[in-house]
Amino acid sequence: MNLAIMKNDATMKDVSAVIARVEDWGFTAHLSQNDAHTIIGIVGEGQGDWEQIRVLPGVERVVPVKHPFKLASREFQPENTVFPIGSHNVGGKGLLIMAGPCSVEDRSQIIETAIACKEAGAHVLRGGAFKPRSSPYAFQGLGEEGLKYLAEARDITGLPIVTEVMEPGLVPLVCDYADILQIGARNMQNYALLHAVGKAQHPVLLKRGMSSLMEEWLMCAEYILSHGNKRVMLCERGIRTFEKYTRNTFDINAIPVVKQLSHLPIIADPSHATGKSEYVAAAAKASVAAGADGLIIEVHCHPEKALSDGAQSLRPEAFAQLVREMRAIAEACGREIE
Amino acid sequence: MNLAIMKNDATMKDVSAVIARVEDWGFTAHLSQNDAHTIIGIVGEGQGDWEQIRVLPGVERVVPVKHPFKLASREFQPENTVFPIGSHNVGGKGLLIMAGPCSVEDRSQIIETAIACKEAGAHVLRGGAFKPRSSPYAFQGLGEEGLKYLAEARDITGLPIVTEVMEPGLVPLVCDYADILQIGARNMQNYALLHAVGKAQHPVLLKRGMSSLMEEWLMCAEYILSHGNKRVMLCERGIRTFEKYTRNTFDINAIPVVKQLSHLPIIADPSHATGKSEYVAAAAKASVAAGADGLIIEVHCHPEKALSDGAQSLRPEAFAQLVREMRAIAEACGREIE
Amino acid sequence: MNLAIMKNDATMKDVSAVIARVEDWGFTAHLSQNDAHTIIGIVGEGQGDWEQIRVLPGVERVVPVKHPFKLASREFQPENTVFPIGSHNVGGKGLLIMAGPCSVEDRSQIIETAIACKEAGAHVLRGGAFKPRSSPYAFQGLGEEGLKYLAEARDITGLPIVTEVMEPGLVPLVCDYADILQIGARNMQNYALLHAVGKAQHPVLLKRGMSSLMEEWLMCAEYILSHGNKRVMLCERGIRTFEKYTRNTFDINAIPVVKQLSHLPIIADPSHATGKSEYVAAAAKASVAAGADGLIIEVHCHPEKALSDGAQSLRPEAFAQLVREMRAIAEACGREIE
Amino acid sequence: MNLAIMKNDATMKDVSAVIARVEDWGFTAHLSQNDAHTIIGIVGEGQGDWEQIRVLPGVERVVPVKHPFKLASREFQPENTVFPIGSHNVGGKGLLIMAGPCSVEDRSQIIETAIACKEAGAHVLRGGAFKPRSSPYAFQGLGEEGLKYLAEARDITGLPIVTEVMEPGLVPLVCDYADILQIGARNMQNYALLHAVGKAQHPVLLKRGMSSLMEEWLMCAEYILSHGNKRVMLCERGIRTFEKYTRNTFDINAIPVVKQLSHLPIIADPSHATGKSEYVAAAAKASVAAGADGLIIEVHCHPEKALSDGAQSLRPEAFAQLVREMRAIAEACGREIE
């Protein structure tokens, strides 16, 4: 496959000329166009001289792409994607630390936890308002009320907020309150949702599906990128295997693989990747050493009372200790944690 | 957990009285109420005498349920769920045979295939109009145009139609054309979608997620049932494992397990479960022998030209031969294929 | 890769001439030689005209093989391997039914079970004397005493015996008592053991390893075949996956795949493949419909007292009923169970 | 389960008295006895007062063990097992670095590599003389000749040698040349081999089977320990999952889990865990951060010419760089690499 990347000032006539030429050669053309870019994907079994395309009016460059993901690939963009989250950059030298409870349970819980996380060194507050739960009879989250508490916690601490959005129709509502949109593992291949967040203006944290191949995960990032949203972080949160001693198997190989294949930042979620608080620190430190660009860690002031995921949540003091340990490892690796 | 099943004529006052009593005892009550039923889920660590609930006004019965799925369990309903699909019943003695192409590609393709499937013995026509594709650059289906062609094929052949719906907002549109709503494997845990089809009046074919536990799958059926739609078929379509010679690993054990745990019909999809047309017949016949209530099989008049899943599609004549072989096995097992 | 199959009366000089020629061409030659055959495997990146090899003295034929397994492949031998087990043939029209307890526990248990299995329709008696157990503190089998009881049960019933051998040094002892050597799933890639049974004169039942690819399994059969023992049966006994409701996931796809790739008989083990007696019948019937050449089923007169695998053992009366049901399906499929 | 640990000077009469007492109480006793220890495993559903056992003659202590592995558990021995390998200790503050080629290919190759590994910072030389290969036609290792070259490399460099032993009958031969016996992943549950190395006087490196649960792996260590050999290292080398971009999935969670459950040292094998040289450094550094007690890394002077595993082998200069990076991380974690 080849991509013809059009210049920003290319006209529809320019685009049509490229398509006509490659179709003459026996290829099929797919047009991916929005405010951010115009790209013509050229696939099939045709024959032609790419140099002729390169010199057509409006064409910026022609990129051969061997992977099925294109915009997400290092071939398309060799340098790291770096973008600001609050006063930090993700994808650069510094690691982004996100922390907070699994669910927003009530106003005082999220505010207390937000303050504790900030003091311990977190840069972003996490917390679920809409919760995907395997049982229809389980606590489903506080909904918009939870979003309001999150916004209040942000006002108090200054921490930007990451929270999950589960359906396309709720993207505008969640955007009203949140700073980062999280796509959960169960929804990784919910294409209508990927389309909706691809149209949004907020950064996206895309969790890997529990049995998704790395290539499939990058293809889901491609869906978001191809709809115009370039600020995507990939989040490795463990995969499902035969091993049951831990909740999931942390696929730490995914960190160097994603860094090689893609320019997008990679975030580790040691809480879901282990499922047991006693193993979170080891997995978190390993993530830093393997080259992760950030971490998202579940912290709860009273894990024994948590409405969800208590078993894998750290207390704030354990989290603060972990941040210190991760900082030492980051520095040993030429990175830093502010 | 216990369920208090309320009578159809129970009042809100009756419901409140049950809730008040069990909360007095230290339990938490979850109300699941719609046109079809009022059920109070009673969970937690309380202490009380269930006989006192049984005799309260408006209470039909109290059911202890050991599984996390309740309405889907054999404990809740010992007899098989049986309901009509066109002129056939699913869940009874006869097996329901669904067949057709992966995607609706054009008008003549779906009509030609529908006629061939009907002649070969199919009871329902399958065909995708909205396609979940791992690449944003791949053919995404014909959309509403495809639904119209399906409806036309139904008019010609009399075969009811099963087709996938991928987002809550499209459920009404798909209901306008289709007879059965298919939830695909990627969307098994798309709870907003489960909610939407739970509110719909059409039967649902719920595919198992590619790495979902049988219990999780039954929990997703529970979501649909608890929103009021009782006509759910479960579809085993293979799971993802380390084995790569076949596209998926057909978990044939799921057939007797689901029949034991649940009263819902179980359908086998040997096309996705193997991914290669040369193994479809063996997997299909095995499904019949294992006790499946129906099958869904990909059939294409020209597999070598199919826009998707050509490698696993049978030609009509091979499908007709397979129906004959399945019929013989069904009869040897005390079942039948009309 | 190509194989040069030498005639039975080929001399060492003939062999050397073939090797010299292909090495001249830049290939590497691997000699596989024993009483049964002389085969020269020719691998690498050489260049030459195979017709020149075909006409060398002592050469029977030259076979190109695209799979890594050679002697086990349908390309090497298009017709089914068929050989006698007691008064039955395996690999032909009739299915071979093997039954008996997981372990030989004492003299009366194995004799009582053998009689019951024979009456119910079994053709071969199974029973473990050397047991691979995950705990060093668990019952490890009766050893040679168990073999003696098995031999006594054979004397009484006439049923040939299949039993596991776990180490190369014990192959001669087990051969003294047993009719078929079983290689267990844990030992599938125990190459020293494969070598030893490859040198033995007894048929071998090779179980698939719990996480082995079908190709790896066929490669282990290749080890046995290449050491001179042609009477190998492959046994699908379930693979390890994330699903935990059943003990293993029965990879029923393996039955048509193995029949296509190899000429060797394929046996199903529904007892280990499900791990729960209530699902054994469904899995067994599915195996027949999928084309298995035989089954091995755990039967125990008193499953509640079994020292191992009681949960997956059928009582003799349930096994007898299952044989009747399988027979009906076999006949519907053009096969038979005597 | 309880273990009665007997004193070194306990008599057979003492042992018999313990067994008689617990059997009176309705338990079953399993005696595990060799030069190193006498332990009575007490299982079943009996009733009795353990204090009465504690005070019997010859009894050192009674240990309740909730895990199926006993001698391998932290409950049995709270402090880390530490033992010398050459001039280093494994299990203490310092990490043990093992390096070398997959296979010994010839005399000069292993000597050249040994010298390079030593200069780069390795403490132990690895190299396979007996190779488990999935194909009977592939290079099977040099056998005893390879062992001799390894011994020569040790004479030159002073590095102790770790090499695989694949069958019980070869344990004495391998012990004549090697310093550490490696049990490969395929042989993890080869109980005859575990028995043989349990009787040997050499430390053992026990690789995890590619689909083994952590508990099963610890049970295999238990086999070795219960036969008298206390010097066992556990080696995590990746497990088999659906993900195919890497050769295996590195289960880094296993490092903190094993450290918590067992007192035995845990070694990481980032070469097999990734299968691609470009990911080895990230996985190795992650292992150090996660708390591994050592690493085993494939190094080859000419990976492009390696007879096996070339794709995952580091060149000596890359390995030297990695040792420096791992040292910095070890120090940030309060460990060290000499």
Side-chain angles (χ1 to χ4, degrees), chain B residues 66-290:
Chain B
K66 70 177 184 211
H67 294 293
F69 43 92
K70 313 299 173 190
L71 306 176
S73 72
R74 280 258 179 222
E75 294 157 318
F76 178 71
Q77 179 188 309
E79 67 281 7
N80 280 355
T81 283
V82 181
F83 55 86
I85 300 285
S87 58
H88 293 77
N89 277 322
V90 66
K93 188 182 179 192
L95 273 67
L96 187 74
I97 308 298
M98 301 184 258
C102 177
S103 302
V104 181
E105 297 171 9
D106 58 49
R107 185 177 171 280
S108 65
Q109 172 247 12
I110 190 65
I111 290 173
E112 178 189 7
T113 313
I115 293 170
C117 287
K118 172 146 194 188
E119 284 175 2
H123 311 134
V124 175
L125 176 66
R126 65 153 288 155
F130 297 96
K131 297 300 303 172
R133 300 305 297 275
S134 53
S135 169
Y137 310 117
F139 174 62
Q140 308 276 319
L142 296 180
E144 187 172 0
E145 186 187 354
L147 295 176
K148 287 178 180 168
Y149 296 151
L150 282 167
E152 199 175 343
R154 175 181 49 204
D155 291 344
I156 293 169
T157 60
L159 296 179
I161 287 164
V162 56
T163 197
E164 181 164 354
V165 58
M166 287 168 59
E167 52 181 298
L170 290 177
V171 170
L173 176 71
V174 177
C175 284
D176 281 349
Y177 295 95
D179 301 282
I180 305 170
L181 303 175
Q182 179 179 315
I183 303 293
R186 292 172 175 88
N187 279 315
M188 187 194 83
Q189 290 185 313
N190 182 337
Y191 298 119
L193 184 59
L194 298 181
H195 184 112
V197 301
K199 294 291 188 189
Q201 305 302 315
H202 285 54
V204 177
L205 182 72
L206 177 65
K207 291 205 161 190
R208 182 180 181 182
M210 69 170 63
S211 69
S212 85
L213 298 169
M214 291 190 239
E215 185 176 297
E216 293 169 336
W217 183 24
L218 289 165
M219 289 305 288
C220 291
E222 187 79 10
Y223 262 92
I224 300 172
L225 296 172
S226 71
H227 283 94
N229 190 341
K230 303 301 183 200
R231 294 186 291 168
V232 176
M233 295 176 272
L234 296 160
C235 180
E236 163 64 34
R237 44 75 75 202
I239 58 174
R240 180 167 272 182
T241 72
F242 62 85
E243 177 59 65
K244 291 295 156 201
Y245 199 84
T246 48
R247 181 175 177 183
N248 289 295
T249 295
F250 185 19
D251 186 4
I252 198 153
N253 289 347
I255 295 174
V257 171
V258 163
K259 293 302 289 179
Q260 183 192 50
L261 295 178
S262 179
H263 49 84
L264 296 172
I266 171 96
I267 307 296
D269 175 350
S271 305
H272 287 86
T274 60
K276 295 187 182 174
S277 58
E278 60 263 49
Y279 308 131
V280 168
K285 291 188 279 184
S287 304
V288 175

Side-chain angles (χ1 to χ4, degrees), chain A residues 95-97 234-238 250-256 259 266-274 279-297 322 325-327 329-330 333 335 337, chain D residues 250 252-253 255-256 281-291 329 333:
Chain A
L95 273 66
L96 186 74
I97 309 297
L234 295 159
C235 180
E236 163 63 36
R237 44 74 74 200
F250 185 20
D251 185 4
I252 198 151
N253 290 348
I255 296 174
K259 293 303 287 180
I266 172 97
I267 308 295
D269 175 349
S271 305
H272 287 86
T274 60
Y279 308 131
V280 168
K285 291 188 281 185
S287 306
V288 175
D293 294 306
L295 291 102
I296 183 163
I297 298 176
L322 173 57
E325 293 174 8
M326 291 194 297
R327 185 174 289 124
I329 294 169
C333 297
R335 303 287 291 268
I337 296 176
Chain D
F250 185 20
I252 197 152
N253 290 347
I255 296 174
K285 291 189 280 184
S287 305
V288 175
I329 294 170
C333 297

Side-chain angles (χ1 to χ4, degrees), chain D residues 1 9 42 54 62 99 113 137 140 157 165 244 248 264 301:
Chain D
M1 185 183 190
D9 59 358
I42 304 161
R54 245 175 227 110
V62 176
T113 312
Y137 310 117
Q140 307 276 320
T157 60
V165 58
K244 290 295 156 202
N248 290 295
L264 296 171
C301 294

Side-chain angles (χ1 to χ4, degrees), chain A residues 208 214 243 253 260 273 279, chain D residues 208 214 243 253 260 273 279:
Chain A
R208 180 181 183 183
M214 291 190 239
E243 177 59 65
N253 290 348
Q260 184 192 49
Y279 308 131
Chain D
R208 182 180 181 182
M214 292 190 239
E243 178 59 65
N253 290 347
Q260 183 193 49
Y279 308 131

